[in-house]
């Protein structure tokens, strides 16, 4: 209809009502005005009539240009989500650079250096973790006013894992006698090392393996560091270790930049309703990780 003048559109509307609101009769009547080959087809007549009855006008109404269209089409911009990361203090940039330089030096001496580090960390898995209202949308004709009730203090499990190029070591759950999550203290952390980690490492050549941990107090207590030095003598990457681990460096640790997100995306898929079901999902998700995938993560 953009090619028709206002006078032509008014003529079509007049003929439509003069012919008892018949589109077919209007089409025939246009023969005397526009000829057999230049007259409007019936679908155009119908659209023009519908527009006139809806708006009271035969003029083209300019569609408002949205801000989204201006940004995308006219300016060529794209929307990007903000990535959240730990804030680094002034001296911590230097520590990260020092660690990166050390790793590069080690890789020049031994190209397999990265495959000889056991990275370790804990993570919390909450019972209400599967609802993400940022991404969850309910498409309906009307607002369903859907709500999801959350506990004020939802239950959780606290999981420790080790990660190296050969496999994921774990999971180990910090829990009491009845299976409830407990705080990770230095004593409980040492108990995990003695009763869980050491037996897992019996078949590994510890003379060539490094152990990494972050600077959490329970990790760096004097008794804990003494215990680690007995096994990983001279090959500990940690605060108060043989190599200093730069603080707030989640992007350097495969558990943070890969493992926890990967596992959580699978753990909550079937919406576990109990702590036991949550633990089973965590165990299954970790056990299903292919060792070859661990190798590729470390290599990258």
């Amino acid at each position: 209809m953009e090619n028709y003048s206002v006078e032509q559109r008014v003529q079509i509307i007049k003929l439509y009502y003069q012919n008892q609101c018949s589109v077919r009769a209007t089409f025939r009547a246009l023969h005397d005005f526009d000829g057999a080959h230049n007259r409007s087809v019936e679908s155009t007549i119908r659209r023009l009539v519908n527009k006139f009855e809806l708006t009271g006008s035969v003029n083209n109404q300019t569609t408002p240009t949205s801000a989204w269209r201006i940004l995308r089409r006219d300016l060529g911009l794209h929307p990007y989500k903000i990535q959240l990361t730990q804030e680094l203090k002034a001296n911590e940039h230097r520590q990260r650079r020092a660690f990166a330089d050390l790793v590069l030096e080690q890789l020049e001496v031994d190209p397999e250096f990265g495959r000889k580090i056991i990275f370790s960390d804990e993570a919390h898995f909450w019972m209400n973790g599967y609802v993400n209202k940022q991404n969850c949308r309910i498409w309906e004709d009307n607002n369903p006013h859907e709500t999801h009730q959350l506990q004020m203090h939802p239950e959780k499990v606290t999981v420790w894992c080790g990660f190296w190029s050969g496999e994921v070591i774990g999971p180990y759950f910090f829990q009491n006698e009845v299976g409830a999550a407990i705080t990770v203290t230095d004593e409980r952390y040492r108990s995990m090392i003695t009763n869980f980690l050491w037996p897992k490492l019996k078949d590994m050549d510890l003379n060539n393996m490094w152990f990494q941990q972050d600077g959490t107090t329970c990790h760096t207590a004097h008794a804990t560091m003494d215990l680690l030095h007995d096994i990983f003598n001279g090959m500990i990457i940690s605060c108060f270790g043989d190599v200093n681990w730069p603080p707030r460096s989640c992007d350097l640790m495969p558990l943070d930049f890969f493992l926890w997100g990967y596992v959580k995306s699978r753990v909550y898929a079937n919406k576990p309703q109990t702590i036991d079901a949550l633990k089973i999902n965590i165990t299954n998700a970790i056990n299903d990780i292919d060792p070859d995938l661990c190798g590729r993560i470390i290599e990258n």
Side-chain angles (χ1 to χ4, degrees):
M1 291 186 294
E2 290 77 6
N3 297 325
Y4 295 100
S5 67
V6 173
E7 292 76 12
Q8 287 175 311
R9 298 176 192 181
V10 170
Q11 184 65 56
I12 292 172
I13 295 298
K14 287 181 178 179
L15 291 173
Y16 175 77
Y17 288 108
Q18 289 172 359
N19 288 276
Q20 290 75 46
C21 300
S22 170
V23 173
R24 185 62 180 170
T26 303
F27 174 72
R28 294 194 190 97
L30 284 171
H31 181 279
D32 297 334
F33 295 90
D34 300 324
H37 301 293
N38 295 323
R39 57 183 170 173
S40 301
V41 296
E42 293 185 24
S43 60
T44 300
I45 297 170
R46 189 174 292 107
R47 289 200 304 273
L48 180 59
V49 170
N50 290 338
K51 177 182 179 180
F52 176 76
E53 292 182 343
L54 180 65
T55 66
S57 173
V58 295
N59 290 321
N60 281 330
Q61 294 184 345
T62 304
T63 303
T65 303
S66 67
W68 179 272
R69 188 177 305 162
I70 293 173
L71 292 169
R72 290 295 300 271
R73 186 186 65 187
D74 299 339
L75 300 180
L77 304 179
H78 303 279
Y80 296 98
K81 286 187 176 181
I82 294 175
Q83 298 294 323
L84 301 180
T85 186
Q86 295 278 355
E87 180 184 8
L88 293 177
K89 299 179 181 179
N91 64 327
E92 292 168 354
H93 291 277
R94 176 185 54 79
Q95 292 173 299
R96 283 168 60 89
R97 178 59 183 266
F99 178 79
D101 289 341
L102 182 142
V103 172
L104 290 175
E105 293 172 2
Q106 291 290 336
L107 287 171
E108 290 181 358
V109 176
D110 180 6
E112 296 295 309
F113 172 70
R115 303 177 67 87
K116 298 176 181 178
I117 302 174
I118 301 173
F119 295 88
S120 68
D121 199 11
E122 298 92 18
H124 299 308
F125 287 73
W126 302 84
M127 279 300 301
N128 63 344
Y130 56 83
V131 176
N132 184 344
K133 67 178 183 179
Q134 174 69 20
N135 298 326
C136 181
R137 297 292 182 268
I138 300 175
W139 294 90
E140 296 284 355
D141 294 333
N142 299 303
N143 188 349
H145 299 288
E146 183 71 19
T147 61
H148 181 78
Q149 296 183 0
L150 300 179
Q151 296 177 343
M152 181 65 70
H153 302 289
E155 294 182 278
K156 67 178 180 180
V157 296
T158 301
V159 185
W160 179 93
C161 279
F163 189 102
W164 70 293
S165 62
E167 63 177 331
V168 179
I169 304 171
Y172 176 87
F173 298 101
F174 285 95
Q175 59 189 12
N176 59 19
E177 296 78 9
V178 297
I182 54 178
T183 303
V184 183
T185 64
D186 57 332
E187 183 178 353
R188 291 166 178 163
Y189 185 67
R190 290 193 296 275
S191 176
M192 181 277 298
I193 293 173
T194 302
N195 300 319
F196 178 79
L197 179 59
W198 286 170
K200 293 286 186 180
L201 301 182
K202 284 183 178 179
D203 297 330
M204 296 175 60
D205 183 4
L206 295 182
N207 292 325
N208 293 318
M209 295 299 296
W210 291 72
F211 183 79
Q212 179 276 336
Q213 60 180 8
D214 63 24
T216 306
T217 303
C218 63
H219 295 170
T220 58
H222 292 300
T224 302
M225 295 304 298
D226 290 342
L227 179 61
L228 290 173
H229 279 296
D230 288 342
I231 303 299
F232 297 99
N233 186 28
M235 306 184 79
I236 300 176
I237 304 173
S238 171
C239 181
F240 307 128
D242 304 289
V243 172
N244 186 52
W245 175 254
R248 284 174 284 280
S249 298
C250 302
D251 55 322
L252 300 181
M253 191 189 303
L255 292 98
D256 283 324
F257 70 71
F258 164 72
L259 182 66
W260 299 133
Y262 179 89
V263 172
K264 288 180 179 180
S265 68
R266 285 152 178 76
V267 163
Y268 296 113
N270 64 353
K271 300 182 179 180
Q273 300 297 313
T274 66
I275 286 293
D276 287 341
L278 181 60
K279 292 176 183 177
I280 290 173
N281 283 4
I282 293 170
T283 302
N284 291 340
I286 291 175
N287 289 341
D288 288 342
I289 294 177
D290 193 320
D292 289 340
L293 178 60
C294 297
R296 293 198 300 272
I297 295 298
I298 294 294
E299 181 179 356
N300 289 331

